[in-house]
Amino acid sequence: MARSIGFNLLQVLFVVALAPLVSGVLARLKEVVQSRRGPSIFQPYRDLRKFFSKDEIVSEQASWIFRVTPYVVFVAPIFVTTLIPVLTSYPLFFAFMGDMLGGGFVLALGGFFATLAAVDTANPYGPMGASRTRMVGFLAEPVFMIVFFTVSFIAGSTIPYIVQEHWITLSEFFAPSHVLLVIAFVMLILAEAGRIPVDNPTGHFELAMIDESKSLEYSGTGMALMKWGGYMKLLVLMCILLNVLVSPWGLAQRQSVGDVLLAVPLVLFKIGLFVLVLVVIESSLSKLRLFRVSEFLGAAFVTSVVAMITGLLRF
Amino acid sequence: MNALMPVLASLNGLAAGVFLLSAFGLLATRQMQGCVRFFRLQSLALVASIALIAVGLRVPDLLAVALLDLAIKPLLIPWLLRRYVREELFRRREIDQVLNIPSSLLIALALTIIAYFVAVILPPAAGLMGAINVPIGLAGLLLGAFTLAVRREAVPQLIGIFAIENGSLFAGIAIAPRLPLVAEMVFPFDMLIIALVIGILTRITQERVGTTEVGALRSLREGGAE
Amino acid sequence: MTLFVILALPLVAALVSWLPMGRRVAPSATFLAAVGAVVLSGRAALTVAAGGQVIGVAEWLELDGLGALVLLLVAIVATTAALFSVGYVAREEDSRHLRRYYSNYNLFVFATLAVPMLVEPALVWTAVELTTIFGIYLVAFDNTPEAVEAAWKYSILTIMGGAMALLGFIVLFRATRFGDAPFTWAGLIKLAPRVPSGVLEASFLLILVGFGAKVGLVPLHTWLPDAHSQAPSPVCALLSGVKTTVVLCVILRMLPVLNASGRVDVDRWAVVVGLISVGIAAFLILQVTDYKRLFAFSTVEHMGIILTAAGLGGAAAHYGAVYQIVNHSLTKSFCFFAAGTTLLAVDTRQIADIRGLIRTSPVAGTALLFGGIAIAGAPPLAVFLSEFSILRSGIAGQHYVAVGLLAAFIVVAFFGILHHLNRMTFGRPEPAMDGGVPVKLPLSSILTLIIAAAPILILGVYMPAPLHRLLKMAAEGLAK
């Protein structure tokens, strides 16, 4: 039991420590693809250190929500990490505390607080971005629901650890519902994490921001926590995709420390492959106009429903 | 039976998934080029499925059909369209349509579900291998017809017709994998001729009527324009 | 052997027409080929009526009663239309365009002649698709924006129908797995009892919807008035008179197959679909503004009548259905010749613009009036007899509702046609002729009108014995 708790903490440490690295690699690769040098892959760490050492300025109009939000945004992905398989394929101590729907709700909680905080400061750009974030969020909800529902139905359980064992055989892997689910979830990641084609993560133009606007007003520790929370959310979504939906390859199968430590580079490798895919997607598409986002998410919805149909109506 | 059957069956399922997805893509895309690209993807999925069924059921005739389809549908037909329909039509980005995209996607979803329920009547001859072909082929057929109804431009309407034929064939190879070779060969040639003829007709339409927004042509109605 | 020659004649004529050999060669070659086809098909029909067999390639090209009858009809209408084309199309100045017309015409006739001969359903589908494709150029011949629009609608809707019917035929092929008969219409009838009803139902539905679009059954009929009014009149005669008929016969051949399986109630569907077409067409006739569209809607109506008659079941109703097929083809082609003559005389298609036609051009006026009366079903002309026999057999079979509706719709259409024609033919002449000099109509048109009118008059009062035998055989072919 102690070992299981230890592995759980190891997973959390993995996510907390390596999330900025993943984002750094992603940013660097995007620049390299465009024939530029790009920032170092450790740049996010340096940014975080810089923010932690700065003073924090809080508007007088802001309420307690503004102060609490960075902590909520930081903790929510950590909480979800304890629920999903990051390094191991067998359930750990906290695994049965909540299932996939619960994890989804917790992530949404973080987004909810971020939206409220953006409205809290009376900065004109905050609410604008917040309403857009809400629009994207509410359009993405049905896709989440259908993906989770289909996956649970096919695998027979809603606990992520049990679901991911389902895709081991080759015939299940290539089943049309599986492929379509993965495609739908990738589109969902693009929407939720605020990447192209839904939103430009490197943009500084406030009138066009969707996701970045939540951290406009923050400074110092608050900013650091918001940013770190953002990196972790992306990593958590990737882990859900890769470890639960795609394939359990690379996860530790046995209960030994060595296996779990071995899983770290393997999972990183899997994440690296997905980062490559992300880079290709981001470099080849352009940002959609705002009202086209509903079409994009509509297509994701349709893909997930088709996955549901082909998965459930089997002959 | 073939030892590779389960793997082939699941790869066939993958092809079916791509087929259906490209049928939806035909509805969801706004660009003329996008339409042609999704049609190409759909034809490739069709060819893959034909080849897989040919290998799985050991029907060598079907391999010949697959090769012929590969030559004609993804390659020749888009080339023909480029050649006969004027270049500027392809540069046009926005396709005019009767319904907006999210609504048409939802209706397409309903059509797919209908196809699944209708497909129960038609048991596939290819057994487990082709079990997924029949409903998805029927769905492709219905979605092609819907694309035809919803689009107002000449080239997407034509692609809608080809999508209907793709769907028919996709279901057909599972229902009757041993159709006489003569008949199987005819179908892709037929599509070739249709592409040729309609390409020319499109050019004439462009010249005579001034636009290829054929859905807006209403002069022949009883109460319509002069 | 005969069948191959019949098919070869229009192909040769197509080739000859395509070569640049002067303006006279193409029309003459077409006409001669058509005459040759008539003679040979007549002989084949007589052979079949006498009980003989005409086989080209066993299991692919064979003639039975229905096939021989339709083949003869196609050949006859092809000949009269070719004769009419001589004068009508001669107005076209560009000889290349003219030659392309004739070569397409011959290719179209070739494909249409092939359909009744073929007994292998996959080949039948191919031939039907070919007729559609070859017809596209003919419909767009005038090259006006309306003609091109009509050709576009025609091609899209009919090709879509063909694509749907494709799946229907593939499903039909499934039936051969259940027995040992070849994949022909006769073979399918033998296999039918053992085939699961779902397969037959599905294939019939797909073929009905798909080919129904080509025939002009409601609700996929929207292309028909446009195409059949914008095409040149001889082409309209071919399209309305034989192409729709030929495709309808393919649908009709499915009926005995489904009836043989004993488990499917296809007759009721046929009656319902037929009645819907008749009804809607009849009411649409009331509000036409263009006299060629009038005849086109009448085609939709008659296709519905034939389908209903075939669905009513029983030897008498089937006899009525095939009789109606014959009479409709001959009468409708005459109507379009009359319409073409009228167009030559007054140069407008609008009903509202024409008055006193009988004074402006006696030939056109008389022909139009005669054609309209004939197609509406007035005695003592051919169509009246066939419609009457259908109604009578329906009453004898106790299908009172269907017969009542059918009769009502026929009356509505009758009224509509005559109302429009009445306005056009009598009264003060309009549009005023320039200088009062009537337009000189080409000799070939007048000749065609006379030749085409003859069977309508004759068949209204007298039925030649071989024809009667052929009709009976064709009806039996529907009934098994």
Side-chain angles (χ1 to χ4, degrees), chain C residues 241-257:
Chain C
V242 288
K243 176 170 180 267
T244 47
T245 312
V246 147
V247 179
L248 185 62
C249 284
V250 174
I251 299 181
L252 289 181
R253 279 201 194 267
M254 288 289 296
L255 288 178
V257 173

Side-chain angles (χ1 to χ4, degrees), chain B residues 121-123 125 148 154 157 161 164-165 168 172 175 179-180 187 190 194 197 201 205 208 214 217 219-220 222, chain C residues 122 125-126 129 136 143 146 148-149 152 155-156 159-160 163 166-167 170-171 173-174 198 202 226 230 287 293:
Chain B
I121 316 179
L122 298 170
L148 190 62
Q157 277 189 352
I161 292 186
I164 297 179
E165 282 217 37
S168 293
I175 296 180
L179 200 61
F187 304 142
D190 176 56
I194 294 176
V197 169
L201 190 61
T205 311
R208 285 281 150 194
V214 286
L217 296 177
S219 61
L220 287 174
E222 242 74 46
Chain C
W125 179 87
T126 317
E129 283 294 292
I136 297 181
N143 233 351
E146 289 85 24
V148 173
E149 172 191 342
W152 179 265
S155 41
I156 290 282
I159 295 181
M160 172 182 95
L166 175 63
L167 186 58
I170 296 183
V171 173
F173 182 75
R174 208 43 221 304
D226 300 341
Q230 296 301 318
Q287 42 96 53
R293 283 173 79 93

Side-chain angles (χ1 to χ4, degrees), chain B residues 23-224:
Chain B
F24 274 106
L26 277 179
L27 269 177
T29 179
R30 273 174 184 270
Q31 304 175 19
M32 209 82 78
Q33 292 273 38
C35 249
V36 178
R37 268 190 217 132
F38 275 117
F39 168 68
R40 267 201 176 131
L41 187 62
Q42 201 186 44
S43 309
L44 282 173
L46 174 66
V47 168
S49 182
I50 298 180
L52 284 168
I53 290 190
V55 170
L57 294 180
R58 302 184 192 205
V59 182
D61 287 354
L62 279 183
L63 274 178
V65 175
L67 278 175
L68 190 62
D69 268 337
L70 184 64
I72 291 188
K73 286 188 197 159
L75 301 176
L76 261 184
I77 288 186
W79 179 80
L80 264 180
L81 284 178
R82 283 315 261 295
R83 198 160 158 234
Y84 280 100
V85 178
R86 285 221 296 246
E87 195 53 47
E88 60 188 56
L89 280 182
F90 272 104
R91 274 187 245 127
R92 201 167 333 156
R93 312 203 90 225
E94 306 267 314
I95 306 178
D96 197 8
Q97 45 197 17
V98 177
L99 276 178
N100 65 339
I101 288 186
S103 322
S104 32
L105 280 178
L106 286 175
I107 296 183
L109 213 49
L111 286 175
T112 311
I113 299 181
I114 292 177
Y116 256 85
F117 279 108
V118 168
V120 185
I121 316 179
L122 298 170
L128 219 54
M129 181 93 200
I132 197 160
N133 276 34
V134 178
I136 292 202
L138 263 179
L141 192 151
L142 288 176
L143 287 179
F146 184 60
T147 313
L148 190 62
V150 160
R151 301 275 166 160
R152 286 211 197 115
E153 273 278 341
V155 173
Q157 277 189 352
L158 177 65
I159 302 236
I161 292 186
F162 288 149
I164 297 179
E165 282 217 37
N166 272 2
S168 293
L169 258 182
F170 201 80
I173 44 173
I175 296 180
R178 293 179 179 86
L179 200 61
L181 191 61
V182 157
E184 294 264 13
M185 288 297 197
V186 158
F187 304 142
F189 276 121
D190 176 56
M191 282 179 64
L192 193 62
I193 299 179
I194 294 176
L196 195 66
V197 169
I198 298 233
I200 300 180
L201 190 61
T202 310
R203 185 144 55 146
I204 297 179
T205 311
Q206 171 80 344
E207 287 170 10
R208 285 281 150 194
V209 184
T211 164
T212 52
E213 270 198 44
V214 286
L217 296 177
R218 296 202 176 284
S219 61
L220 287 174
R221 292 274 178 89
E222 242 74 46

Side-chain angles (χ1 to χ4, degrees), chain A residues 285-297:
Chain A
L285 294 178
S286 60
K287 182 164 121 88
L288 286 173
R289 294 165 70 180
L290 188 64
F291 60 90
R292 295 285 165 86
V293 173
S294 64
E295 286 169 16
F296 177 76
L297 286 169

Side-chain angles (χ1 to χ4, degrees), chain C residues 58-425:
Chain C
E59 288 172 22
W60 279 16
L61 275 176
E62 278 178 19
L63 274 188
D64 65 344
L66 187 59
L69 186 68
V70 176
L71 183 67
L72 185 58
L73 277 176
V74 174
I76 293 178
V77 176
T79 315
T80 46
L83 183 58
F84 193 80
S85 304
V86 172
Y88 193 87
V89 184
R91 295 179 302 164
E92 175 68 37
E93 321 243 307
D94 179 2
S95 1
R96 230 182 108 223
H97 210 190
L98 186 82
R99 277 184 284 117
R100 287 248 293 264
Y101 170 85
Y102 279 108
S103 49
N104 256 70
Y105 183 97
N106 283 307
L107 286 171
F108 182 79
V109 168
F110 160 73
T112 322
L113 282 172
V115 177
M117 279 189 215
L118 291 165
V119 286
E120 219 257 19
L123 291 177
V124 169
W125 179 87
T126 317
V128 170
E129 283 294 292
L130 280 178
T131 67
T132 302
I133 295 175
F134 289 139
I136 297 181
Y137 180 79
L138 292 172
V139 172
F141 179 70
D142 275 347
N143 233 351
T144 61
E146 289 85 24
V148 173
E149 172 191 342
W152 179 265
K153 272 195 189 155
Y154 162 73
S155 41
I156 290 282
L157 278 174
T158 45
I159 295 181
M160 172 182 95
M164 285 196 190
L166 175 63
L167 186 58
F169 279 107
I170 296 183
V171 173
L172 199 59
F173 182 75
R174 208 43 221 304
T176 56
R177 265 186 104 218
F178 293 92
D180 202 19
F183 188 42
T184 65
W185 297 119
L188 283 170
I189 295 181
K190 262 199 296 182
L191 285 171
R194 276 172 282 173
V195 179
S197 60
V199 172
L200 288 178
E201 267 178 12
S203 103
F204 178 69
L205 201 64
L206 284 165
I207 294 180
L208 182 66
V209 171
F211 276 175
K214 289 191 197 272
V215 170
L217 295 174
V218 176
L220 294 163
H221 67 289
T222 47
W223 60 273
L224 205 142
D226 300 341
H228 288 208
S229 62
Q230 296 301 318
S233 296
V235 174
C236 293
L238 272 180
L239 286 174
S240 263
V242 288
K243 176 170 180 267
T244 47
T245 312
V246 147
V247 179
L248 185 62
C249 284
V250 174
I251 299 181
L252 289 181
R253 279 201 194 267
M254 288 289 296
L255 288 178
V257 173
L258 268 88
N259 279 327
S261 91
R263 274 164 287 162
V264 183
D265 198 12
V266 68
D267 284 343
R268 196 170 297 171
W269 297 353
V271 170
V272 168
V273 173
L275 280 176
I276 292 179
S277 295
V278 181
I280 299 213
F283 283 104
L284 283 174
I285 285 182
L286 293 176
Q287 42 96 53
V288 283
T289 55
D290 170 334
Y291 52 89
K292 281 176 90 173
R293 283 173 79 93
L294 175 77
F295 289 131
F297 280 124
S298 163
T299 305
V300 175
E301 182 208 349
H302 281 272
M303 291 293 123
I305 294 178
I306 297 173
L307 190 58
T308 313
L312 282 178
H318 287 144
Y319 185 87
V322 286
Y323 193 19
Q324 178 82 349
I325 290 179
V326 174
N327 290 336
H328 173 255
S329 298
L330 296 171
T331 316
K332 189 48 66 65
S333 43
F334 176 83
C335 289
F336 274 109
F337 296 144
T341 317
T342 311
L343 191 60
L344 284 175
V346 295
D347 206 24
T348 167
R349 287 198 179 97
Q350 301 297 318
I351 293 181
D353 291 342
I354 305 178
R355 291 270 183 284
L357 188 61
I358 200 130
R359 265 178 265 277
T360 317
S361 164
V363 174
T366 325
L368 201 62
L369 194 61
F370 179 71
I373 295 179
I375 198 71
L381 299 170
V383 175
F384 171 74
L385 268 186
S386 50
E387 282 177 357
F388 185 71
S389 66
I390 293 176
L391 292 173
R392 195 176 56 178
S393 59
I395 294 182
Q398 296 180 338
H399 301 110
Y400 296 122
V401 175
V403 167
L405 282 173
L406 195 61
F409 293 143
I410 292 179
V411 166
V412 169
F414 186 94
F415 171 72
I417 296 178
L418 283 185
H419 170 73
H420 289 300
L421 286 180
N422 200 16
R423 273 196 314 165
M424 279 174 65
T425 326

